[in-house]
Amino acid sequence: MSIREIIRVPNPFLKIVAKPVSIINDSILGLLDDMLETMYNANGIGLAATQISEDKRLIVMDCGKVDFNEDDMTEEEYNDKIKDIEPQPIKMINPQIIHSSLNLTEREEGCLSIPGYNAQVKRPDTITVNYIDENKNEIALEAGGLLATCIQHEVDHLNGVLFIDHISRLKREIILRKAIKEFTTD
Ligand code: ZN
């Protein structure tokens, strides 16, 4: 396993529509492991292959450690709680969202390709996603809450879409201008 470089805006590779994976072999499984390691190393909860410059429809996630309300806890309680939560990695090959609820929910999102910049994004609050897992099983998963947001955010990446594409043009331009200035001067 190895930690890969996560590309940031304005890298044009973030805009590509990634290609479906046709054969699940050791190199794909190794890539999924690299993606998870890279994501954990960056303290992220999701990562798409395009973010490490791989033109493949692969995403990884682990929403286990954050799907509770940390605002109600002291830092000590929070640290106590997250230490007991086992990693819950999810690997998806060729994920396809086949159903989205009409109900929308708003949640704060961030992105490892725009680190340090967050915004409130409205998305369907439950979805059904079809994908192939690392054991080549075809899975249909109905997801809600943070996981639903996370899946939609990562599948967007495979279509060249970023979370800032869902907010107002004005807010998007402010974030992009600041982020690009920051990322291209260091
Ligand atoms: Zn992202």
Side-chain angles (χ1 to χ4, degrees):
M1 291 213 285
S2 56
I3 292 168
R4 305 275 300 260
E5 187 199 350
I6 300 173
I7 59 174
R8 296 170 169 188
V9 292
N11 192 314
F13 202 87
L14 290 168
K15 294 274 175 200
I16 71 161
V17 176
K19 291 192 188 73
V21 171
S22 48
I23 301 166
I24 301 167
N25 54 21
D26 286 348
S27 104
I28 294 296
L29 299 179
L31 182 54
L32 285 164
D33 286 337
D34 284 355
M35 287 168 63
L36 264 183
E37 197 183 2
T38 302
M39 181 195 83
Y40 285 129
N41 178 64
N43 288 319
I45 60 170
L47 187 75
T50 43
Q51 292 178 277
I52 56 163
S53 310
E54 293 281 351
D55 182 2
K56 296 181 174 70
R57 299 192 79 80
L58 301 172
I59 61 177
V60 297
M61 285 158 292
D62 189 335
C63 296
K65 292 213 176 194
V66 283
D67 204 7
F68 56 88
N69 193 352
E70 63 191 81
D71 295 341
D72 297 338
M73 305 177 203
T74 66
E75 197 180 324
E76 202 177 323
E77 285 169 338
Y78 175 77
N79 288 336
D80 234 36
K81 172 128 188 170
I82 61 162
K83 137 178 138 263
D84 293 336
I85 299 174
E86 294 290 319
Q88 295 168 33
I90 302 176
K91 301 170 181 173
M92 295 188 181
I93 300 162
N94 299 336
Q96 230 183 334
I97 294 170
I98 55 152
H99 182 260
S100 303
S101 67
L102 293 174
N103 258 10
L104 303 181
T105 189
E106 195 173 53
R107 200 181 279 279
E108 182 165 296
E109 294 187 31
C111 181
L112 294 176
S113 293
I114 322 174
Y117 297 86
N118 297 342
Q120 295 287 333
V121 179
K122 242 183 218 165
R123 299 183 186 268
D125 77 345
T126 44
I127 56 151
T128 304
V129 60
N130 285 353
Y131 66 97
I132 303 169
D133 73 7
E134 66 271 34
N135 302 312
K136 302 186 187 177
N137 296 314
E138 282 180 35
I139 312 278
L141 173 72
E142 196 182 317
L146 177 65
L147 182 60
T149 296
C150 196
I151 292 168
Q152 292 174 83
H153 178 121
E154 300 312 329
V155 171
D156 267 357
H157 272 299
L158 302 182
N159 296 323
V161 174
L162 300 173
F163 78 93
I164 51 172
D165 294 320
H166 293 286
I167 63 179
S168 74
R169 205 181 83 175
L170 179 67
K171 284 185 191 159
R172 176 166 63 248
E173 282 173 359
I174 291 170
I175 288 180
L176 270 179
R177 196 172 341 112
K178 286 190 194 160
I180 290 170
K181 191 173 168 206
E182 181 189 334
F183 302 153
T184 50
T185 49
D186 63 24

